[in-house]
Amino acid sequence: MANIEAGVGGKVLALSGGVGGAKLCRGLAARLAVEQLTIVANTGDDFDYWDLRICPDLDSVMYALADLNDEQRGWGLRDETWRTLIAMRRLGGDEWFQIGDQDLATHILRTQLLRADQSLSAVTKQITAGLGIKHILLPMSEQSVATKVNTDQGWLDFQQYFVRDQCQPEVRELHFEGADDAQLNPQVHSLLMDEGLAAIVVCPSNPFVSIDPILSLSGCRRLLMEAAAPVIAVSPIIAGRAVKGPAAKMMRELNMPATAFAVAEYYGDLLDGYVLDEADAHYAEDIEALGIKVCVAPTLMTDLSSKIALADAVLGFAASYST
């Protein structure tokens, strides 16, 4: 059992999107025992491609937890090959979403199991077990929610905007199709009512397309705010820039300054605490004026040691709420 000297002793729930969230989850998994950590991933990015069910954020977290992710590319599996994609191109098939040969196996198995009427939670449990992952990873909901992006080119499915069009269209608004009818994963609902829950961590993921789909589920935001554990977010913005992805560009297009302060203000009363990068320490006083406690720490995660260091900072910050 991994443990920490100055961190939380109870259970931790992490809300994650893709790359940035997956990095922090890898650090948390290095510091928390299996029975302590539950990760819930956004599934608003999920879609069907080549008649297969693709779950990009679940996969990013899975591959990171298994230390199989491609750190250089930022997504997918390390040592990937592309023979299937090349063959599809030769046949004139659709190829704008890149699926590697190893990654393809994940999508095929997931699709087979879903078509056999297994839940996405059960399917994810089987795949994570196959990858040797012990910690619990859950989809935000068993029902389908689809992120739609209204742009200067009209409404687009999220992966069309994000991958096919490389985030170039200007974003005007977002909609989470199906969120009104979808339910928060029952296992997450139970954990939020658990007296042993010591911290809720909002990972450094895109607030609009990674975290908001989770918060849009019926009752989720209320449950988070009513939970006894502090809700602590890690800023996805460092010195006005997103480490990866379109978060900063989206903020500007949605008429928000691309700053760590603006993210804290956006989450608002959901948060009890906020972790700022050292480059943004000058925002600390303004954020605390919002009623949100602040922790300043290095938040750029470039290797396993920096992921663990940030996890230590977050867990130590969370532990300060119980002292």
Side-chain angles (χ1 to χ4, degrees), residues 163-302:
V163 178
R164 188 193 66 185
D165 297 345
Q166 301 179 349
C167 307
Q168 291 179 1
E170 181 177 332
V171 175
R172 293 173 175 169
E173 63 178 318
L174 296 156
H175 174 65
F176 307 116
E177 188 175 274
D180 289 344
D181 298 321
Q183 301 298 312
L184 180 66
N185 190 308
Q187 296 180 67
V188 179
H189 189 287
S190 296
L191 182 56
L192 288 170
M193 309 289 285
D194 190 327
E195 292 182 356
L197 184 64
I200 301 165
V201 179
V202 180
C203 290
S205 301
N206 187 312
F208 312 110
V209 296
S210 293
I211 302 302
D212 269 359
I214 302 174
L215 300 180
S216 72
L217 297 169
S218 178
C220 181
R221 189 179 180 100
R222 176 183 55 78
L223 283 168
L224 289 167
M225 294 180 68
E226 290 178 355
V231 180
I232 294 171
V234 179
S235 175
I237 300 293
I238 300 175
R241 300 181 63 181
V243 176
K244 190 171 181 63
K249 176 177 180 288
M250 279 186 166
M251 292 176 78
R252 290 190 291 271
E253 292 170 355
L254 294 170
N255 297 316
M256 296 170 60
T259 65
F261 172 74
V263 173
E265 197 171 36
Y266 181 74
Y267 283 134
D269 60 3
L270 174 69
L271 301 184
D272 298 294
Y274 191 63
V275 180
L276 270 176
D277 189 80
E278 294 170 321
D280 294 312
H282 53 283
Y283 290 121
E285 190 172 330
D286 290 338
I287 294 170
E288 288 178 339
L290 299 175
I292 302 168
K293 288 176 64 177
V294 170
C295 170
V296 177
T299 62
L300 184 63
M301 296 173 282
T302 56

Side-chain angles (χ1 to χ4, degrees), residues 127-150:
I127 295 175
T128 53
L131 295 173
I133 297 165
K134 304 297 184 185
H135 291 86
I136 298 172
L137 171 63
L138 299 170
M140 66 182 194
S141 176
E142 300 291 3
Q143 293 82 42
S144 177
V145 175
T147 298
K148 305 289 183 181
V149 187
N150 191 11

Side-chain angles (χ1 to χ4, degrees), residues 72-197:
Q72 298 300 318
R73 198 170 54 238
W75 54 270
L77 286 155
R78 189 173 61 247
D79 300 325
E80 186 62 277
T81 55
W82 307 94
R83 296 177 67 84
T84 303
L85 189 70
I86 292 168
M88 184 64 79
R89 181 181 305 150
R90 185 166 57 226
L91 294 170
D94 207 353
E95 54 155 335
W96 61 264
F97 190 83
Q98 296 191 331
I99 298 177
D101 299 330
Q102 299 179 80
D103 194 29
L104 181 60
T106 302
H107 308 317
I108 290 174
L109 180 58
R110 174 186 293 124
T111 304
Q112 288 176 340
L113 296 172
L114 288 172
R115 287 177 181 169
D117 290 332
Q118 291 198 34
S119 69
L120 185 56
S121 291
V123 173
T124 302
K125 183 178 181 180
Q126 179 168 333
I127 295 175
T128 53
L131 295 173
I133 297 165
K134 304 297 184 185
H135 291 86
I136 298 172
L137 171 63
L138 299 170
M140 66 182 194
S141 176
E142 300 291 3
Q143 293 82 42
S144 177
V145 175
T147 298
K148 305 289 183 181
V149 187
N150 191 11
T151 73
D152 56 356
Q153 298 176 21
W155 282 98
L156 299 172
D157 293 339
F158 179 74
Q159 294 299 338
Q160 292 175 336
Y161 162 78
F162 186 65
V163 178
R164 188 193 66 185
D165 297 345
Q166 301 179 349
C167 307
Q168 291 179 1
E170 181 177 332
V171 175
R172 293 173 175 169
E173 63 178 318
L174 296 156
H175 174 65
F176 307 116
E177 188 175 274
D180 289 344
D181 298 321
Q183 301 298 312
L184 180 66
N185 190 308
Q187 296 180 67
V188 179
H189 189 287
S190 296
L191 182 56
L192 288 170
M193 309 289 285
D194 190 327
E195 292 182 356
L197 184 64

